[in-house]
Amino acid sequence: MKLTIGFLLFCALYAAVTAKSTVVETTSPDGISARGLELVLGKLEQMDRKLLNLQIELTEHREEMKRNRDCVTSTAAPPEQESTTPTTTTSKPLIHSSCKEEPSKVSGVYLIRVNNDSTPFNVYCEQASFGGGWLVVQHRFDGSVDFYRNWDQYREGFGEVDNEFWLGLERMHQLTTARPYELIVEMKDFKGNYGYTRYIRFQVGSESEKYELTLGLGLDSGRAGDGFDGFHNGVKFSTKDRDNDETPDKHFAVRYTGAWWYCPGGGVTNLNGPYKNSDDTWNSTVWYHFKADLRALSFTRMMIREL
């Protein structure tokens, strides 16, 4: 716009000067021609300055428009890109209440929670054996973890869930009182003999009940026999610093160097005893009815599943 106005102004001034010069030269050919030329030159010099200023302004205007175009191009996405770019939404993974509800059906470590208000915790889910859906609560296979622990440690749990570990009595209590659970106990001796025992009901009481054990009727024996021997219903848990075996003159957790639901008289099971290859002592991982002797076990695993 400014360039157009400048051009029109130039044309008007040029016409005026040309007309004036023509009049002067025709009326006074002797001396006015030089004066007229001086005036024309002065006018042309003024116009030249104005045109130069207009050219500078036009150049600045073009540069500003170019900067604006570049800014718009760099910040605005093309319409076709906006329409074809998918919108992704990140959602929090669903935390289930048991391994049976875990949909992946792949054995491994998962987060579960007892109910919507409880804090999630890691568990190991066995999804390949016995139809899957099993939550491992005890696992021993190489003796790398010391199981001769005190009450607080057995209450809270210890070890790593993908290694040797004990889940913890308090979590067992929370799980098994929120919903009914069954139990499988697997074992293998140092000669490679394998067996298991399955109970249709497994429940652990509260700490105020000294984590009392309840086993439901019905036994599915996979060549391991009833290691709880029918006498452990209502038996309380004992550790080296909590004697709850109801045998006044004996402390079986200390005597057997372990921690368990020891019934009066001691019982015939000590799965949390010392890990060692032995066949003649209760101070080892024993499940007497497996082979009707005191052979130690190289592998034990206790698993529960929601009914």
Side-chain angles (χ1 to χ4, degrees), residues 22 41 43 45 74 92 99 142 154-155 217-218 243 277:
T22 303
L41 291 175
K43 294 294 184 180
E45 184 178 356
S74 63
K92 294 182 178 179
C99 291
D142 63 4
Y154 268 93
R155 179 186 62 214
L217 297 177
D243 183 7
N277 189 352

Side-chain angles (χ1 to χ4, degrees), residues 97-98 175-176 179-182 200-202 304-306:
S97 61
S98 70
L175 288 165
T176 60
R179 300 169 198 86
Y181 274 81
E182 59 181 324
I200 64 171
R201 183 69 184 272
F202 174 78
I304 62 175
R305 181 170 65 181
E306 183 181 356

Side-chain angles (χ1 to χ4, degrees), residues 124-178:
Y124 190 92
C125 295
E126 173 55 58
Q127 304 287 28
S129 302
F130 304 103
W134 295 93
L135 189 160
V136 182
V137 298
Q138 188 255 31
H139 195 191
R140 305 188 73 181
F141 55 87
D142 63 4
S144 59
V145 174
D146 180 16
F147 271 65
Y148 194 41
R149 307 278 184 128
N150 62 31
W151 180 265
D152 291 347
Q153 291 169 311
Y154 268 93
R155 179 186 62 214
E156 299 302 323
F158 52 85
E160 301 295 332
V161 295
D162 56 352
N163 197 0
E164 289 201 335
F165 81 101
W166 174 262
L167 181 66
L169 292 164
E170 185 59 34
R171 285 173 178 165
M172 293 184 201
H173 161 66
Q174 293 172 3
L175 288 165
T176 60
T177 54

Side-chain angles (χ1 to χ4, degrees), residues 79-95:
E80 60 272 13
Q81 182 177 350
E82 292 179 356
S83 61
T84 58
T85 301
T87 301
T88 57
T89 302
T90 303
S91 59
K92 294 182 178 179
L94 181 63
I95 299 176

